[in-house]
Amino acid sequence: GNLWISTNGGLCRISEESDEWVFQNFTVEDGLQSNEFNQYSFHQSTSGQLYFGGSVGLTQFDPIRVKPSSYHPPLTITRFLLFNKEQRAQTSSVLDHSIQWTERIPLSHHQNFLAFEFAALGFQQSQNQAYAYRLVGLEEEWIQAENRRFAAYPNLAPGNYRFEVKATNHDGIWSAETKGIDIHIKQPWWKQWWAILLWTSLLLGLIRMIILNRENTIRRIEQAKLQEREAFRKRSAQDFHDEAGNRITKLSLLTEVARRQKPAQDAILNQIQEHIQSLRSGMRDFIWVLDPEQDQLADLYQRLIRMGNQLFEHTNIQFHPRPIPEKAATWVVPGYQRRHLLMIFQEATNNVVKYAQCQNVYLGISINGNQVSIWLKDDGQGFILGETEGYGIRNMKERAQKIDGRLQIDSTLGQQTQVSLSWNIPQMGD
């Protein structure tokens, strides 16, 4: 089933294996009389012998006895080179033994230009032997090198590799065995795990230092702004008190003098005097709101008590403030809240004097978590909610909304009225 063809380059056998054509060429090294044959000079005997006539003689053989060799010569790596310089065990720092007996080569990160020479140790028609090699870790497919016995790899990255090589015998049959050697190229010290951990720690430390420094800067700026605001409030309170207070006092004295000199104008002067006193009271409240030394919740409650004492002092109403909780001294109430709270309870106490017709008024405070509740209760005639809601109550509700507070008015006709205000304090003092 094979074709035998004579050529001027030897004798060629063509066979079919697994639906593929396989060509094998024989030359004088296989026993031919020469590589050159004559045209039409061939014959097959009755016994199956083949005859081919050549330029210097006759070639005769039995084709059944011509079989590919099953012998595979041993394969070895003959040389190892770094940057084209051969490494020997006697002089190299990377080889402890001859390259033929070395199984693993450790290299530093800069020793990354490698080359290998290899050979199949067969001496029969060695020129017909073919080779294939690969570097596992860099390439998966075999590189067909034909009869070239050299492989080079420049600029290898750090990592683990394995160089493998295989060969055919002189009949072109590949051996199932391969020759290999492991190669480990170390990472540079700045890429090793402990260095990466160090860089990461330094980077995180630097980021944390930047964040802390920024936070401290922001905190110092906010503290400076707060101190400046408090200083401005204190100066404004002092200046307003000194300037406006002196002028109002002078107006009050002049009004008193004018009233004594002209009794006919007493009614008008009395009204002026009342407005001046009301203005003075309002000015004290305004100055109290500005003063940063009055920011504690306890100061606010004390101010409400003083306001109640002054209002009910010349009436038949008895004022009963409840004690101040000890917690009140640790809470800070911002100025904008204090102003609205003061005006809400000023309106509530004025309504008691005008409409309640009561005998007793009670003022109390309670603290639950960061929520504060202040209430004012009387034992007067009460009223029906919704029927008598005027500007004063609407104003109280609007002020409560501005501080995110909850204003509740409970009244029983003929018995009592209670006004309660609850709100959250945004921060607590140390």
Side-chain angles (χ1 to χ4, degrees), residues 71-202:
Y71 171 75
H72 291 280
L75 185 63
T76 185
I77 297 175
T78 58
R79 297 177 71 198
F80 171 64
L81 298 91
L82 273 178
F83 297 99
N84 293 324
K85 183 178 180 181
E86 183 179 2
Q87 303 296 303
R88 297 180 180 273
Q90 297 82 355
T91 58
S92 174
S93 61
V94 299
L95 294 181
D96 295 329
H97 308 285
S98 172
I99 189 63
Q100 289 84 0
W101 312 112
T102 299
E103 296 181 352
R104 183 176 184 271
I105 302 176
L107 300 171
S108 62
H109 70 277
H110 63 275
Q111 295 173 319
N112 61 351
F113 194 149
L114 317 182
F116 300 90
E117 286 187 6
F118 39 84
L121 304 181
F123 302 101
Q124 183 178 2
Q125 305 178 40
S126 59
Q127 73 278 4
N128 292 335
Q129 294 172 342
Y131 299 88
Y133 61 86
R134 66 180 177 180
L135 187 65
V136 179
L138 178 66
E139 52 203 8
E140 297 299 328
E141 300 295 330
W142 291 93
I143 297 175
Q144 302 298 323
E146 297 183 352
N147 61 353
R148 180 167 55 88
R149 300 183 296 108
F150 181 81
Y153 294 95
N155 299 323
L156 287 176
N160 294 312
Y161 303 93
R162 179 172 176 81
F163 178 73
E164 295 180 342
V165 61
K166 63 181 181 178
T168 67
N169 59 14
H170 64 277
D171 282 333
I173 307 301
W174 287 100
S175 172
E177 297 182 0
T178 62
K179 177 68 174 177
I181 187 168
D182 293 322
I183 301 165
H184 174 66
I185 302 179
K186 297 178 181 179
Q187 292 281 358
W189 67 268
W190 60 85
K191 289 186 178 180
Q192 296 186 23
W193 68 266
W194 58 267
I196 294 174
L197 181 62
L198 176 62
W199 304 141
T200 303
S201 301
L202 290 176

Side-chain angles (χ1 to χ4, degrees), residues 261-328:
Q261 293 178 356
K262 296 181 179 180
Q265 300 178 0
D266 284 350
I268 298 175
L269 293 176
N270 284 337
Q271 292 181 8
I272 295 175
Q273 185 74 11
E274 289 177 3
H275 286 302
I276 291 174
Q277 294 299 332
S278 177
L279 179 60
R280 175 180 291 175
S281 176
M283 184 187 72
R284 284 199 303 268
D285 294 339
F286 182 71
I287 293 173
W288 177 80
V289 170
L290 284 177
D291 191 354
E293 295 181 357
Q294 307 295 328
D295 281 348
Q296 280 73 26
L297 178 60
D299 297 324
L300 170 65
Y301 191 66
Q302 285 283 11
R303 180 60 181 159
L304 295 179
I305 292 176
R306 289 196 300 270
M307 183 178 67
N309 286 330
Q310 293 172 1
L311 183 63
F312 299 117
E313 182 179 5
H314 303 292
T315 66
N316 295 325
I317 301 173
Q318 298 296 317
F319 182 52
H320 308 280
R322 298 294 173 85
I324 304 175
E326 292 183 2
K327 276 189 204 175

